[in-house]
Amino acid sequence: MTSAWVTDSAANNALAGTTAARGEKRDQWICWWSLPIFYHLFGLIFVYYAKLMPPPKPGLNTQQIVEFIQTNAKNLQIAWILLTLSLGFASLSSGLILVHMKRMQGVSSALAYAYLAALAVAALPGCMFCELMFGLAAFRPDRDPELIALLYDMGLLSFVGSLGCFVAQYFVFALAIFLDKRGIFPRWLGYMSIWGAVTEFVAAPIWVFRGGPYAWDGLISFYLGTVIFVVWEFCLIVCLFKAIKRQPLSELNVPVAAAAWSAR
């Protein structure tokens, strides 16, 4: 019995990276591909169409804000159509991360579900509220200039300043990595997650400053956090790729004999 178990385990590990294993993990690979696809679309939406990354200055007067909205109204509408159609991709990647957090040893499922809940809540102030405010402004760009200026401030303060949920996400993910005894994700990714949480803290002053490094377009509040987030997201994509490849077939409830036959 022992030798058979050892043989099956060895076969599982050997087959983890084969064509058969890739077929059995097809759902995970679909979710993994949603990450690069979504973030390419995210850049297209917020950088090219909406022109909100990097964000326009908080010190613009009402006339300049109205001019920004009016000259960019069609692009904003295209941006929000694309965002409406693509934002769901983010949930696929969150589900994939949840799967691999639940594989961790010495970590309860509470942290995995907390991570998922934090991201679900963060999507509202961090993305959808911005879409709603600028969408309303672009829908009727000839409305009262003071209302347009209000929508402008509400959209960008939410987009750059929605901090709490992302802090929770980073810390929960880092804590799970540090407690994990299986090494599903490398410990350095946990330290990078801590740095991600720090950048959310240092962005808090955007609610006060209209210029300088702590404004919503500032070097510390925006650029530092954006650079660290891009690097963190790239590393997460790579680490998820490796975690999927290394996952044993035994965790997928795939019979070893069947997998070996299909791999021939």
Side-chain angles (χ1 to χ4, degrees), residues 87-253:
L87 188 56
F89 277 107
S91 63
L92 298 182
S93 61
S94 299
L96 180 62
I97 295 168
L98 176 73
V99 165
H100 288 279
M101 288 181 71
K102 292 184 72 173
R103 294 177 55 215
M104 294 176 171
Q105 183 179 351
V107 180
S108 74
S109 297
L111 289 180
Y113 290 119
Y115 180 90
L116 187 65
L119 276 183
V121 174
L124 295 173
C127 202
M128 297 184 70
F129 195 77
C130 174
E131 174 190 10
L132 178 61
M133 294 302 104
F134 278 94
L136 286 171
F139 189 73
R140 297 188 192 277
D142 56 345
R143 71 172 76 239
D144 186 336
E146 293 298 330
L147 288 177
I148 290 182
L150 177 62
L151 294 171
Y152 173 88
D153 285 344
M154 291 172 68
L156 280 167
L157 283 170
S158 174
F159 183 53
V160 185
S162 53
L163 310 172
C165 297
F166 292 105
V167 170
Q169 168 220 341
Y170 280 125
F171 272 127
V172 164
F173 190 55
L175 180 61
I177 291 175
F178 295 147
L179 293 176
D180 177 29
K181 297 177 182 178
R182 291 186 66 185
I184 301 298
F185 297 107
R187 290 182 68 84
W188 58 260
L189 186 61
Y191 291 110
M192 282 196 66
S193 300
I194 296 295
W195 274 108
V198 170
T199 64
E200 299 292 339
F201 278 118
V202 299
I206 74 164
W207 296 92
V208 177
F209 292 94
R210 297 185 185 180
Y214 289 105
W216 71 44
D217 66 334
L219 180 63
I220 293 177
S221 295
F222 177 75
Y223 287 96
L224 176 64
T226 300
V227 169
I228 289 180
F229 173 77
V230 170
V231 174
W232 179 84
E233 195 65 48
F234 175 80
C235 293
L236 176 64
I237 291 172
V238 172
C239 289
L240 276 171
F241 180 87
K242 293 181 178 179
I244 296 170
K245 288 194 70 174
R246 289 196 302 261
Q247 184 179 17
L249 290 179
S250 57
E251 293 185 5
L252 305 175
N253 296 319

